[in-house]
Amino acid sequence: MTTPIRWPAEAVWEAVAPLLPGFTVEVLPTIDSTNTELMRRARAGQTEPTLLVAEQQTAGRGRLGRVWQSDVGASLMLSLGLPMAPKDWSGLSLAVGVSVAESLQPTLPPAQPGQPPRIGLKWPNDLWLSGDRKLGGILVETASFVAPQAAQPATAHGTAARYVVVGIGINVLPRSAEGMSMPPGCLQDVEPGLDAPAALLRIVPPLVAMLQGFEACGFAPVQPRFAARDVLQGRPVTLSDGQAGMANGVGDDGALLVHTAQGMQAVTSAEISVRPAVVSTSL
């Protein structure tokens, strides 16, 4: 018989409720997708700040429709939904990535043998461990409405609130690489003994603070922190439209800067996906 997972729902609520009035925490044994469920609720007019955690997802989604599923306890799968009204939405998924990476590994260890793997960020929404292993992913979705009962007044810059769902999936235990384009990493590689409940408590309160800071100031103040963990910086990349070039960091708006044969290109997550170029060698 599987031992029930002891989730720190009350501790998360106590840390976040002062920042988000009306905040609730729910833990479900199984759901198709935490992001999908919060978007369903938003369409029905339920747009209160909500953290939804699933022990198992049957139809979890990643970016570009990729599937994210996991056995109970093997991954941390959560979605945070709340109304937001930033002046500029650009770079939101990058800011989320910075918050999560810093919560799980506040200080980057030296890049040398014998040290724990470094948690880096692969533009626009993946957490990677050193050695090009995917630790987790982020899926940010927005609804072009906020129900009247939850609507916030327009901000000083005149932007109306929208309901935002921030989905995060992180491998906690080792998993098979079968069917994956790259080998997976897990939290146990970074910090043995760190489980999903402990990771949840580390991640959520700073994430709420990051989202509120982003709403007030945008991505620019976070850009140097992203740069410190940017795993594509200085590496050859191939864009999905066939262009190739050298990754040159991200701009203040979160766009990936790629130096191509046509010059410097600013790539946004809405336009293109990016993968490190495959370098072939011969003996």
Side-chain angles (χ1 to χ4, degrees):
M1 184 175 179
T2 304
T3 303
I5 300 175
R6 296 176 62 87
W7 294 99
E10 184 174 357
V12 171
W13 182 85
E14 289 176 346
V16 173
L19 302 175
L20 286 179
F23 175 67
T24 61
V25 181
E26 295 182 46
V27 178
L28 301 177
T30 184
I31 190 73
D32 54 353
S33 160
T34 52
N35 265 43
T36 298
E37 174 62 15
L38 287 185
M39 293 298 283
R40 277 194 293 258
R41 296 182 187 186
R43 285 192 292 272
Q46 301 175 45
T47 53
E48 300 80 10
T50 302
L51 174 67
L52 192 60
V53 181
E55 294 185 346
Q56 187 171 34
Q57 288 189 143
T58 58
R61 296 177 292 117
R63 188 167 176 266
L64 303 178
R66 298 185 180 98
V67 176
W68 185 286
Q69 295 177 226
S70 177
D71 296 329
V72 175
S75 294
L76 173 61
M77 295 166 287
L78 66 96
S79 293
L80 174 65
L82 71 166
M84 287 182 61
K87 182 178 180 180
D88 187 351
W89 293 90
S90 303
L92 177 55
S93 66
L94 278 63
V96 171
V98 169
S99 178
V100 174
E102 291 179 346
S103 294
L104 295 174
Q105 191 177 54
T107 302
L108 281 169
Q112 60 189 38
Q115 294 292 330
R118 296 157 60 96
I119 299 180
L121 297 166
K122 185 256 184 187
W123 185 94
N125 58 357
D126 284 344
L127 295 111
W128 277 18
L129 296 185
S130 45
D132 291 356
R133 293 173 293 155
K134 184 173 179 177
L135 173 65
I138 295 159
L139 178 63
V140 177
E141 299 181 284
T142 63
S144 58
F145 60 85
V146 172
Q149 65 267 30
Q152 301 172 341
T155 59
H157 46 71
T159 304
R162 297 168 65 181
Y163 193 69
V164 181
V165 177
V166 176
I168 299 169
I170 299 172
N171 298 325
V172 175
L173 302 178
R175 61 185 300 177
S176 169
E178 184 177 356
M180 296 185 178
S181 59
M182 64 181 300
C186 69
L187 286 182
Q188 293 289 305
D189 296 330
V190 179
E191 185 177 331
L194 182 59
D195 60 10
L200 178 73
L201 186 55
R202 285 193 195 181
I203 288 170
V204 175
L207 175 61
V208 171
M210 172 66 82
L211 293 174
Q212 293 181 328
F214 180 91
E215 186 173 35
C217 303
F219 176 71
V222 188
Q223 189 272 342
R225 291 155 63 185
F226 182 91
R229 295 177 182 265
D230 184 358
V231 300
L232 295 181
Q233 172 67 48
R235 294 177 62 173
V237 295
T238 301
L239 310 183
S240 59
D241 66 357
Q243 290 191 84
M246 189 72 69
N248 199 44
V250 301
D252 286 349
D253 60 354
L256 178 68
L257 304 177
V258 181
H259 193 272
T260 71
Q262 290 74 41
M264 191 69 74
Q265 306 287 329
V267 183
T268 69
S269 60
E271 297 172 351
I272 213 159
S273 62
V274 179
R275 298 173 182 271
V278 176
V279 180
S280 61
T281 60
S282 58
L283 298 177

